[in-house]
Each structure stands twice: as structure tokens, then as C-alpha cells.
Coordinates of all heavy atoms in Angstrom, one line a residue:
Y1 N -19.8 47.9 -12.7 CA -20.4 48.3 -11.4 C -19.3 48.7 -10.5 O -18.5 47.8 -10.1 CB -21.3 47.2 -10.8 CG -22.1 47.6 -9.6 CD1 -23.4 47.5 -9.6 CD2 -21.4 47.9 -8.4 CE1 -24.2 47.8 -8.5 CE2 -22.2 48.2 -7.3 CZ -23.5 48.2 -7.3 OH -24.3 48.5 -6.2
I2 N -19.1 50.0 -10.2 CA -18.0 50.4 -9.4 C -18.4 50.8 -8.0 O -19.4 51.6 -7.8 CB -17.3 51.6 -10.1 CG1 -16.7 51.1 -11.5 CG2 -16.2 52.2 -9.3 CD1 -16.1 52.2 -12.3
H3 N -17.7 50.3 -7.0 CA -18.0 50.8 -5.6 C -16.6 50.9 -4.9 O -15.6 50.5 -5.4 CB -18.9 49.8 -4.9 CG -18.3 48.4 -4.8 ND1 -17.5 48.0 -3.7 CD2 -18.5 47.3 -5.6 CE1 -17.2 46.7 -3.9 NE2 -17.8 46.3 -5.0
F4 N -16.7 51.6 -3.8 CA -15.5 51.9 -3.0 C -15.4 51.1 -1.7 O -15.8 51.6 -0.7 CB -15.4 53.4 -2.8 CG -15.3 54.2 -4.1 CD1 -16.5 54.4 -4.8 CD2 -14.1 54.6 -4.6 CE1 -16.4 55.1 -6.0 CE2 -14.0 55.3 -5.8 CZ -15.2 55.5 -6.5
D5 N -14.9 49.9 -1.8 CA -14.8 49.0 -0.7 C -16.1 48.8 0.1 O -16.1 48.7 1.3 CB -13.7 49.5 0.2 CG -12.9 48.4 0.9 OD1 -13.2 47.2 0.6 OD2 -12.1 48.6 1.8
A6 N -17.2 48.7 -0.7 CA -18.5 48.7 0.0 C -18.9 47.4 0.5 O -19.8 47.2 1.3 CB -19.6 49.1 -1.0
R7 N -18.2 46.3 0.2 CA -18.5 45.0 0.6 C -18.1 44.7 2.1 O -18.3 43.6 2.6 CB -17.9 43.9 -0.3 CG -18.6 43.8 -1.6 CD -18.3 42.5 -2.3 NE -19.0 42.4 -3.6 CZ -20.2 41.8 -3.7 NH1 -20.9 41.4 -2.7 NH2 -20.8 41.7 -4.9
K8 N -17.6 45.7 2.7 CA -17.3 45.6 4.2 C -18.6 45.4 5.0 O -18.6 44.9 6.0 CB -16.5 46.8 4.7 CG -15.1 46.8 4.3 CD -14.4 48.0 4.9 CE -12.9 48.0 4.5 NZ -12.2 49.2 5.1
S9 N -19.7 46.0 4.4 CA -21.0 45.9 5.0 C -21.8 44.7 4.4 O -21.9 44.5 3.2 CB -21.8 47.2 4.8 OG -23.2 46.9 5.0
I10 N -22.3 43.8 5.3 CA -23.0 42.6 4.9 C -24.2 43.0 4.1 O -24.5 42.5 3.0 CB -23.4 41.7 6.1 CG1 -22.1 41.1 6.7 CG2 -24.3 40.6 5.6 CD1 -22.4 40.3 8.0
G11 N -25.0 44.0 4.6 CA -26.2 44.5 3.9 C -25.9 45.0 2.6 O -26.6 44.7 1.6
V12 N -24.9 45.9 2.5 CA -24.5 46.5 1.2 C -24.0 45.4 0.2 O -24.4 45.4 -1.0 CB -23.5 47.6 1.3 CG1 -23.0 48.1 0.0 CG2 -24.0 48.7 2.2
S13 N -23.3 44.5 0.7 CA -22.8 43.4 -0.1 C -23.9 42.6 -0.7 O -23.9 42.2 -1.9 CB -21.9 42.5 0.7 OG -21.3 41.5 -0.1
K14 N -25.0 42.3 0.1 CA -26.2 41.6 -0.5 C -26.8 42.4 -1.5 O -27.3 41.9 -2.6 CB -27.1 41.3 0.7 CG -26.8 40.2 1.6 CD -27.6 40.2 2.8 CE -29.1 40.0 2.5 NZ -30.0 39.9 3.7
K15 N -26.9 43.7 -1.3 CA -27.6 44.6 -2.3 C -26.8 44.6 -3.6 O -27.4 44.6 -4.7 CB -27.7 46.0 -1.8 CG -28.4 47.0 -2.7 CD -28.5 48.3 -2.1 CE -29.2 49.3 -3.2 NZ -29.3 50.6 -2.6
I16 N -25.4 44.7 -3.5 CA -24.6 44.7 -4.7 C -24.9 43.4 -5.5 O -25.0 43.4 -6.7 CB -23.1 44.8 -4.4 CG1 -22.8 46.3 -3.8 CG2 -22.2 44.6 -5.6 CD1 -21.5 46.4 -3.3
D17 N -24.9 42.3 -4.8 CA -25.2 41.0 -5.5 C -26.5 41.0 -6.2 O -26.6 40.5 -7.4 CB -25.1 39.9 -4.5 CG -23.7 39.5 -4.0 OD1 -22.8 39.9 -4.7 OD2 -23.6 38.9 -2.9
M18 N -27.5 41.6 -5.6 CA -28.9 41.6 -6.2 C -28.9 42.5 -7.4 O -29.5 42.2 -8.5 CB -29.9 42.1 -5.2 CG -30.2 41.0 -4.1 SD -31.6 41.5 -3.0 CE -30.9 42.9 -2.1
Q19 N -28.2 43.7 -7.3 CA -28.2 44.6 -8.4 C -27.4 44.0 -9.6 O -27.8 44.2 -10.7 CB -27.6 45.9 -8.0 CG -28.5 46.7 -7.1 CD -27.8 48.0 -6.6 OE1 -26.6 48.1 -6.3 NE2 -28.6 49.1 -6.6
M20 N -26.3 43.4 -9.3 CA -25.5 42.7 -10.3 C -26.3 41.7 -11.0 O -26.2 41.5 -12.3 CB -24.2 42.1 -9.7 CG -23.1 43.1 -9.3 SD -22.3 43.8 -10.7 CE -21.4 42.4 -11.4
K21 N -27.0 40.9 -10.3 CA -27.9 39.9 -10.9 C -28.9 40.5 -11.9 O -29.1 40.0 -13.0 CB -28.6 39.1 -9.8 CG -29.5 38.0 -10.3 CD -30.1 37.2 -9.2 CE -31.1 36.1 -9.6 NZ -31.7 35.4 -8.5
A22 N -29.5 41.6 -11.4 CA -30.5 42.3 -12.3 C -29.9 42.9 -13.5 O -30.4 42.7 -14.6 CB -31.2 43.4 -11.5
F23 N -28.7 43.5 -13.4 CA -28.0 44.0 -14.5 C -27.6 42.9 -15.5 O -27.8 43.1 -16.7 CB -26.7 44.7 -14.1 CG -26.9 46.2 -13.7 CD1 -26.4 46.7 -12.5 CD2 -27.6 47.1 -14.5 CE1 -26.6 48.0 -12.2 CE2 -27.8 48.4 -14.2 CZ -27.3 48.9 -13.0
N24 N -27.1 41.8 -15.0 CA -26.6 40.8 -15.9 C -27.7 40.0 -16.6 O -27.4 39.2 -17.5 CB -25.6 39.9 -15.2 CG -24.2 40.5 -15.1 OD1 -23.7 40.9 -16.1 ND2 -23.6 40.6 -13.9

């Protein structure tokens, strides 16, 4: 899962965590 410094945003960071959980 590749992103470009997207965790600066709290909302985007939460979404990445949820997507990673679903993928894994």
C-alpha cells in the first residue's frame, strides 16, 4: 500500500488504517 506522505491528515490516516486492515 503506497501513499505519498498522506498520514499528515488525520482523516486520511484513519482511512489508510481501515483499508490496510481490510487488505490484511
Side-chain angles (χ1 to χ4, degrees):
Y1 188 117
I2 295 177
H3 61 88
F4 297 82
D5 212 7
R7 286 197 179 272
K8 286 182 177 179
S9 164
I10 295 175
V12 173
S13 187
K14 283 170 59 179
K15 181 179 178 181
I16 291 172
D17 288 338
M18 289 187 291
Q19 290 179 316
M20 286 286 294
K21 180 179 177 181
F23 273 133
N24 279 310

